[in-house]
Amino acid sequence: MPDPVSQRGLTPPPSNAATRGRGSARGRLISSLVMLAVVAGAVAFYSIRKSNQLFDLGVDAHVHCTTAGVYPRQTQRVEMEQALGVPFAPMLQPLLDAAGSGGVVSAFQCPLGGRNYFQVIFKNGEALVSVMLTRRNDQEIFPRALAGRTVEASGIRLHESRRQKYSVAAFESGGWLGFVVSALSEDQNGDLAARVAPVVARYTGP
């Protein structure tokens, strides 16, 4: 017997199987989108936390070793070079030339939290600026997606942020982490970091 629906030229309604197929495809698409959102959120959370942990290494050293006033009061350049020790004593004058600030205040090594920081303090107006180096381990690498902005300076990737009341610019150089930290604005601190980071890189390897 002819199908009355076909005789009238109408399209028969979709079967239950076809409806279930379309529903399953839509459900899989929604599940995939939800999974992507979860993964993206997890990556962003990890990147922010990891980046802030690295930024805080520099900020904590600036607070403890610089603003707390525990740095040595040196009067002679040779004292600063001896305090920095090998291999960073020769870095002092090139850093001064690159910084172009109000002069060097102190150069020394500061132990903190099981780490050792090679540190030079500059004066920029009334602000103290810390330029620091500390050994990094294999896990201490800035994620590509991070909390803060990233700029290039002579092939060096600078990671910049604001932590507590301080501006911090950080970079990786060989087996070292470098930091420039101050109470200057982010732009001022970043400009200074762009000048000194290439100097530091010459003494820490590629």
Side-chain angles (χ1 to χ4, degrees):
M1 179 177 179
D3 185 347
V5 173
S6 300
Q7 285 183 338
R8 291 196 298 269
L10 300 177
T11 303
S15 65
N16 290 338
T19 303
R20 285 195 302 271
R22 286 198 295 272
S24 298
R26 187 180 299 111
R28 287 194 297 270
L29 176 59
I30 293 173
S31 296
S32 298
L33 292 174
V34 170
M35 183 61 67
L36 285 173
V38 170
V39 170
V43 170
F45 175 78
Y46 167 80
S47 298
I48 291 172
R49 187 177 70 169
K50 182 68 173 180
S51 299
N52 286 340
Q53 287 174 345
L54 295 176
F55 286 134
D56 285 344
L57 289 176
V59 173
D60 290 346
H62 177 74
V63 171
H64 176 82
C65 304
T66 299
T67 63
V70 299
Y71 57 84
R73 268 59 175 178
Q74 299 142 321
T75 58
Q76 302 293 325
R77 184 68 56 83
V78 66
E79 294 178 290
M80 299 180 185
E81 292 174 343
Q82 289 173 348
L84 279 179
V86 180
F88 296 127
M91 183 176 67
L92 182 59
Q93 186 58 53
L95 273 181
L96 290 174
D97 296 340
S101 61
V104 64
V105 174
S106 185
F108 59 104
Q109 298 179 43
C110 182
L112 178 66
R115 313 177 75 101
N116 192 43
Y117 292 82
F118 295 83
Q119 185 164 348
V120 179
I121 301 176
F122 297 100
K123 196 77 176 287
N124 190 308
E126 295 302 313
L128 293 176
V129 181
S130 295
V131 178
M132 296 169 286
L133 280 169
T134 188
R135 282 285 186 185
R136 70 175 181 87
N137 61 44
D138 292 339
Q139 287 72 46
E140 289 175 331
I141 300 174
F142 277 93
R144 290 189 177 275
L146 70 148
R149 64 178 183 176
T150 304
V151 298
E152 294 282 341
S154 299
I156 299 171
R157 187 180 295 272
L158 292 173
H159 307 277
E160 300 177 359
S161 187
R162 187 83 178 173
R163 300 291 291 165
Q164 302 175 40
K165 60 180 180 180
Y166 300 105
S167 297
V168 53
F171 56 96
E172 301 157 20
S173 182
W176 299 83
L177 286 172
F179 300 94
V180 178
V181 186
S182 72
L184 298 170
S185 70
E186 286 187 65
D187 287 341
Q188 289 175 308
N189 193 77
D191 288 344
L192 179 57
R195 296 197 301 272
V196 303
V199 175
V200 171
R202 294 205 299 267
Y203 293 86
T204 52

